[in-house]
């Protein structure tokens, strides 16, 4: 099993979920919502080859945690991936949008200055601004749009910029999500859970729910399930190779 975007530390009984993810998954990308959360999670859960824990500053809390930006920049130096970062242009977070842009721009620039990092990116109602900032700092690394909800034209623009896309079961809960899933570039898609925030049948999606994602993509892409599974695993291997992760040998 593989999961390219999960908040393992935020599940109820997080230690048990962490242990089960280590048992079941070949690779799990644990994204954090703030630099201090990254520090605490890393301290509590420790280092494991199959669990990548990355420092982030989620745009939904960027206004409240803006003072942690300096910590984030320091942490990026010692990380090979960053997330969750990005922009949220929805009305609910409009008051913090300028701070969000400062956080995201500063983080992307730091990645650019360091020669690139893998980025797990939140882009709700903000895809054009995200893409603009990524273009401004072209050596930022590997952008992975998590749970993409933009327009079809924005999807094409992101794909044209070489972006990856992580998708999980909850993305199929809406008709718009199903329609977008059909148009994702198949060779640039990897599975995610976004648990425990993402829900399926009123239950949090789990880090090992790869088969559910593959099944839903099989319907969206009108491809046999086994072919979709192979495509996702093959994509994961390519992306992990690019990220410099060492777990790829056991994927295929």
């Amino acid at each position: 099993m593989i999961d390219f975007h999960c908040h393992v530390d935020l599940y109820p009984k997080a230690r048990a979920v962490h242990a089960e993810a280590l048992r079941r998954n070949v690779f799990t990308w644990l994204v954090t919502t703030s630099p201090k959360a990254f520090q605490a999670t890393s301290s509590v859960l420790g280092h494991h080859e199959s669990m990548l824990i990355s420092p982030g500053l989620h745009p939904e809390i960027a206004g409240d945690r803006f003072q942690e930006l300096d910590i984030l920049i320091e942490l990026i130096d010692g990380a090979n991936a960053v997330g969750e970062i990005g922009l949220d242009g929805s009305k609910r977070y409009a008051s913090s949008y300028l701070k969000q842009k400062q956080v995201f721009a500063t983080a992307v620039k730091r990645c650019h200055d360091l020669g690139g990092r893998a980025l797990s990116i939140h882009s709700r109602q903000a895809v054009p601004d995200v893409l603009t900032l990524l273009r401004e700092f072209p050596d930022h690394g590997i952008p992975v749009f998590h749970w993409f909800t933009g327009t079809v034209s924005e999807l094409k623009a992101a794909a044209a910029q070489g972006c990856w896309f992580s998708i999980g079961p909850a993305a199929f809960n809406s008709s718009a999500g199903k329609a977008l899933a059909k148009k994702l570039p198949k060779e640039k898609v990897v599975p995610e859970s976004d648990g425990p925030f993402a829900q399926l049948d009123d239950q949090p999606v789990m880090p090992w729910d790869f088969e559910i994602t593959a099944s839903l993509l099989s319907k969206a892409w009108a491809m046999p399930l086994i072919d979709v599974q192979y495509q996702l695993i093959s994509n994961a291997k390519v992306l992990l190779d690019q990220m410099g992760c060492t777990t790829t040998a056991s994927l295929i």
Side-chain angles (χ1 to χ4, degrees):
M1 307 296 180
I2 37 183
D3 185 347
F4 276 84
H5 186 102
C6 188
H7 300 271
V8 174
D9 55 327
L10 299 181
Y11 282 91
K13 300 181 180 178
R15 288 177 186 268
V17 174
H18 175 255
E20 190 67 6
L22 290 177
R23 188 180 74 83
R24 292 190 184 214
N25 284 14
V26 174
F27 174 78
T28 305
W29 185 347
L30 192 169
V31 295
T32 57
T33 55
S34 74
K36 289 185 178 178
F38 167 81
Q39 291 172 326
T41 298
S42 299
S43 176
V44 171
L45 298 183
H47 172 75
H48 301 272
E49 187 178 89
S50 62
M51 179 82 65
L52 171 64
I53 304 176
S54 62
L57 185 46
H58 198 294
E60 291 181 2
I61 63 170
D64 294 334
R65 298 293 188 94
F66 186 76
Q67 69 278 7
E68 293 185 38
L69 177 56
D70 289 344
I71 304 174
L72 175 65
I73 298 309
E74 291 178 9
L75 292 172
I76 288 174
D77 289 19
N80 65 345
V82 183
E84 184 171 353
I85 58 171
L87 299 174
D88 193 306
S90 60
K91 289 182 180 179
R92 182 177 178 184
Y93 302 105
S95 63
S96 69
Y97 198 66
L98 289 178
K99 285 186 176 179
Q100 290 181 43
K101 289 183 76 172
Q102 187 173 343
V103 167
F104 186 56
T106 303
V108 173
K109 181 181 185 301
R110 188 59 181 163
C111 293
H112 166 93
D113 291 343
L114 293 169
R117 298 288 188 266
L119 309 170
S120 189
I121 299 173
H122 177 112
S123 61
R124 184 191 296 134
Q125 296 183 36
V127 175
D129 283 347
V130 168
L131 291 176
T132 296
L133 283 167
L134 293 177
R135 285 195 302 271
E136 188 173 340
F137 304 106
D139 293 331
H140 56 266
I142 310 164
V144 185
F145 275 78
H146 130 74
W147 196 340
F148 187 90
T149 57
T151 65
V152 172
S153 62
E154 288 170 349
L155 174 60
K156 291 179 179 178
Q161 269 185 229
C163 297
W164 287 78
F165 303 88
S166 58
I167 188 171
F172 295 83
N173 286 342
S174 68
S175 56
K178 292 175 183 176
L180 271 176
K182 292 179 180 180
K183 298 181 182 298
L184 291 171
K186 295 180 179 65
E187 74 286 352
K188 285 295 187 75
V189 176
V190 289
E192 68 164 47
S193 66
D194 197 27
F197 298 117
Q199 300 275 312
L200 188 65
D201 298 327
D202 296 321
Q203 296 294 322
V205 181
M206 304 306 291
W208 46 86
D209 281 339
F210 167 81
E211 297 293 345
I212 299 174
T213 300
S215 178
L216 290 165
L217 283 172
S218 174
K219 296 174 184 176
W221 293 347
M223 285 173 59
L225 177 59
I226 191 169
D227 291 346
V228 174
Q229 291 170 332
Y230 182 83
Q231 180 74 65
L232 292 176
I233 292 170
S234 178
N235 293 349
K237 186 175 189 301
V238 171
L239 181 52
L240 288 169
D241 281 341
Q242 291 180 7
M243 292 170 63
C245 293
T246 57
T247 61
T248 57
S250 54
L251 279 174
I252 299 178

